[in-house]
Amino acid sequence: MGNDQKLARDLVKTTEVEENILTNKEIAHLFIHHNKVLTSHLLPGLDVKTEERKDGVKVDIVLKENTVIKRPVHLCFGMLPKEGVQRIILRADIKRNSKISVLAHCAFPNAVNVKHIMDGKIKVREEAEYSYFERHIHGKEGGVKVYPKALIELGRGAKFKTEFELLKGRVGLIDIDYQTTCGEKSVMEMNARINGTGDDVIKIKESGFLQGEYSRGVLTSRVALRDRARAEIYNKMTATAAYARGHVDCKEIVQDKGFASAIPVVEVKHPKAHVTHEAAIGSVDTKQLQTLMSRGLSEDEAVELIIQGLLS
Amino acid sequence: MGRLELQKISLKLNGKPILKNINIDFWEGYIHAIVGPNGAGKSTLAFTIMGLEGYRSFEGDILFKGLSLKDLSIDERAKRGITLAWQEPARYEGLRIKDFLASAAREKSEKNISDTLIKVGMEPTEYLKRALDKTLSGGERKKIEIASILVMEPELVLLDEPDSGIDIESLEKIFEIIQLLKKKKTTVILITHSLAVLKQADHAFLMCHGDIIDKGETKKIIPYFENKCIPCGHKNFPNQEERKNGE
Ligand SMILES: Nc1ncnc2c1ncn2[C@@H]1O[C@H](COP(=O)(O)OP(=O)(O)O)[C@@H](O)[C@H]1O
Ligand SMILES: [Mg+2]
């Protein structure tokens, strides 16, 4: 057990959170290293079952009705070795009228050849709220392949927000596939912010189905590409119910030999629904760049600042 | 010596002559104005001095403190102490005002940045963490642009139409800042077609159709500008008859 605690602390160190999340009794956590649960702490109303498997862990999260977890729950899925496969099966059921926010740290700081596969199925029931922030910590080598896949179902009046962020280290390969189905009056927000360099490959596929009346959804992606990095972004919003409102927003900054394609798809199958989209791919705006340079920043420093802003 | 000398500057844009053999000596520490009607070539001249893309293949030379700027990039010119405030400042996405100002600042402490915001009439608690994006009004962006000049502490600044998009109260602030810059020994070059801004200057150059047609103390230039340029029917051409008659 002592070893596991040490490993857990090593993982915490790779993230930007404070180490006391492991000891603070008001904060729930679950730390997984490869296929092993290192440590966990739960709170009343929050049930988590885990099943260790050959190449990963199956995690079942149930949040009971009318339960509010005040502070974000920290999940960590990590691998410190250079090589290996980690497959996480995540099932979450956020029951009626409850509320939870999850910070998932995916730490592969030494990866040379690591594959991380996430298979998520999430139900957010009537009037419940679920937010899921996924922060990736990768090494400098870019030796990570990440396949996050999730199906999300929102009940009447439910709220769901997710953010996928990779701001530090190399991407390697990321292939995101998220699908959310929205019931009546539910609200969905999916964001991805990724900074690609070297020969990184970024694929983002986010789909939203606004099936309930008065449901609302926004899909946002912000990607910066440098060197030979490539990105394909396919964001699709389908509205089939009256008064559904949706928006798709992709913005990519491409420098050097980076290459991006963005396909925002908007489908409206109800005369009273309304979905809009915005997509822009371009190099850094000249006036922004020249302003910063005229204040004394080098071209590289200026580009960096502009990209940090875009991804923030 | 923050002295800027323009020697026989000529520039064509898309084959069209825009600046025509311009010779100006901007003395250090003064407030100068380049004044003239819309389309005279004032912004083009400012962009040429700053070395913006598309404005670099000019004839003649630009000397700052006796050294040519001709082959220097924008940031190299900035490092020599020259900067430019745009008529219509850039909008960014996500870049916080605080980080924008810190990137320009010589002294990057949060206190210096807050104090500077106060100088341009903006409440730091309200603005520091806000993004410098399209949610700000044109006037707010303009004041932040000026704040970024103040924190940079340049030796010479080109202010392109510093009053455009600014309300009257903010205009007073901008004028205070212009005088403050002078007090700090910064050479200020106002690019303007407005009489109110011209009046801030010690010295003015009257520009018309890519040419400097008159120069001198501001009080000497004002009457001509007010009575001839503002109502001018010559569509940005100097009236050759009047010039011959020595007016
Ligand atoms: N890229 C360009 N190509 C051709 N003509 C241009 C270009 N940019 C500006 N001009 C012309 O140069 C003249 C001077 O413009 P500008 O310097 O913006 O004037 P001002 O700032 O005095 O109003 C105008 O006639 C304008 O139309
Ligand atoms: Mg102009």
Side-chain angles (χ1 to χ4, degrees), chain B residues 107-226:
Chain B
E107 150 63 38
K108 297 183 189 298
S109 71
E110 184 150 330
K111 179 171 185 312
N112 184 36
I113 289 174
S114 297
D115 290 350
T116 309
L117 277 175
I118 292 167
K119 281 186 193 142
V120 298
M122 298 175 95
E123 180 50 50
T125 49
E126 193 183 328
Y127 288 100
L128 276 175
K129 290 191 175 149
R130 259 183 87 173
L132 184 48
D133 61 12
K134 58 186 175 193
T135 64
L136 293 170
S137 72
E140 285 170 322
R141 271 185 287 122
K142 196 94 176 170
K143 284 189 277 182
I144 288 159
E145 182 90 346
I146 298 284
S148 75
I149 302 284
L150 271 181
V151 291
M152 183 184 167
E153 304 175 34
E155 292 185 48
L156 182 144
V157 60
L158 297 144
L159 300 175
D160 197 357
E161 309 284 359
D163 61 335
S164 80
I166 285 270
D167 57 73
I168 302 215
E169 252 171 75
S170 304
L171 190 59
E172 286 306 314
K173 284 272 173 226
I174 302 278
F175 288 166
E176 279 172 29
I177 304 285
I178 291 172
Q179 299 303 330
L180 178 66
L181 283 164
K182 177 180 176 178
K183 211 178 283 168
K184 293 186 169 187
K185 308 252 185 309
T186 301
T187 308
V188 178
I189 303 177
L190 304 170
I191 306 284
T192 185
H193 66 273
S194 130
L195 193 58
V197 174
L198 173 60
K199 286 179 177 164
Q200 295 296 312
D202 305 312
H203 203 265
F205 299 88
L206 185 58
M207 194 171 191
C208 185
H209 204 64
D211 201 359
I212 300 296
I213 60 169
D214 203 358
K215 64 175 182 181
E217 272 181 64
T218 303
K219 62 174 188 281
K220 177 189 155 209
I221 300 296
I222 285 175
Y224 187 93
F225 181 68
E226 194 170 13

Side-chain angles (χ1 to χ4, degrees), chain A residues 29-286:
Chain A
H29 74 255
L30 168 68
F31 271 57
I32 292 173
H33 181 262
H34 187 208
N35 64 342
K36 208 164 180 320
V37 176
L38 300 177
T39 158
S40 72
H41 172 67
L42 301 176
L43 293 168
L46 175 65
D47 287 339
V48 176
K49 288 199 181 64
T50 54
E51 183 191 317
E52 294 179 356
R53 297 182 166 196
K54 188 168 124 272
D55 57 0
V57 179
K58 180 169 188 282
V59 181
D60 263 288
I61 300 176
V62 176
L63 184 65
K64 292 202 173 117
E65 282 189 11
N66 304 315
T67 312
V68 174
I69 305 291
K70 288 204 189 82
R71 314 216 5 207
V73 175
H74 288 260
L75 301 185
C76 179
F77 308 113
M79 288 231 343
L80 293 175
K82 290 180 182 161
E83 294 191 5
V85 176
Q86 181 184 49
R87 189 186 303 270
I88 303 289
I89 299 173
L90 180 69
R91 298 289 175 264
D93 192 346
I94 314 304
K95 303 282 194 196
R96 261 189 74 242
N97 219 11
S98 59
K99 191 172 168 180
I100 188 168
S101 152
V102 171
L103 258 172
H105 310 281
C106 297
F108 312 101
N110 312 314
V112 175
N113 184 14
V114 168
K115 210 175 194 180
H116 168 80
I117 301 160
M118 164 71 75
D119 164 11
K121 287 207 172 75
I122 292 145
K123 288 193 164 76
V124 188
R125 310 280 179 171
E126 262 179 66
E127 303 294 334
E129 280 181 38
Y130 181 60
S131 50
Y132 185 84
F133 299 108
E134 181 161 335
R135 303 254 144 84
H136 277 247
I137 300 100
H138 292 187
K140 294 187 198 88
E141 306 300 328
V144 197
K145 293 190 168 80
V146 181
Y147 301 89
K149 194 173 165 187
L151 285 174
I152 301 111
E153 254 181 66
L154 307 186
R156 196 176 57 76
K159 288 199 176 107
F160 171 64
K161 180 173 178 175
T162 182
E163 265 185 42
F164 184 100
E165 252 188 25
L166 197 161
L167 305 176
K168 273 206 185 138
R170 285 273 308 281
V171 169
L173 176 132
I174 282 182
D175 187 351
I176 299 178
D177 183 355
Y178 284 177
Q179 266 188 48
T180 304
T181 308
C182 303
E184 191 188 332
K185 292 186 178 157
S186 65
V187 180
M188 167 265 284
E189 210 183 302
M190 294 200 271
N191 301 301
R193 299 167 209 277
I194 304 175
N195 192 5
T197 57
D199 47 13
D200 289 341
V201 176
I202 297 160
K203 294 182 187 176
I204 300 175
K205 186 174 170 206
E206 293 175 334
S207 325
F209 297 93
L210 302 171
Q211 295 180 345
E213 289 192 359
Y214 295 98
S215 57
R216 282 182 286 144
V218 181
L219 304 176
T220 311
S221 55
R222 294 283 180 270
V223 174
L225 301 172
R226 274 173 282 190
D227 307 327
R228 284 154 280 115
R230 285 185 292 137
E232 274 169 44
I233 292 132
Y234 180 88
N235 284 347
K236 178 173 171 185
M237 187 81 85
T238 306
T240 55
Y243 311 109
R245 292 280 177 272
H247 184 63
V248 179
D249 182 354
C250 319
K251 194 162 285 169
E252 274 74 56
I253 287 188
V254 180
Q255 296 282 110
D256 310 322
K257 295 201 166 117
F259 177 79
S261 67
I263 312 177
V265 179
V266 166
E267 271 182 10
V268 177
K269 296 182 182 161
H270 194 288
K272 286 187 173 157
H274 188 71
V275 182
T276 51
H277 72 85
E278 239 175 289
I281 300 183
S283 63
V284 170
D285 178 84
T286 309

Side-chain angles (χ1 to χ4, degrees), chain B residues 13-14 16 18 37-45 55 160-161:
Chain B
L13 293 174
N14 290 322
K16 190 177 145 203
I18 307 291
N38 265 324
K42 307 181 298 295
S43 295
T44 303
L45 184 62
Y55 298 85
D160 197 357
E161 309 284 359

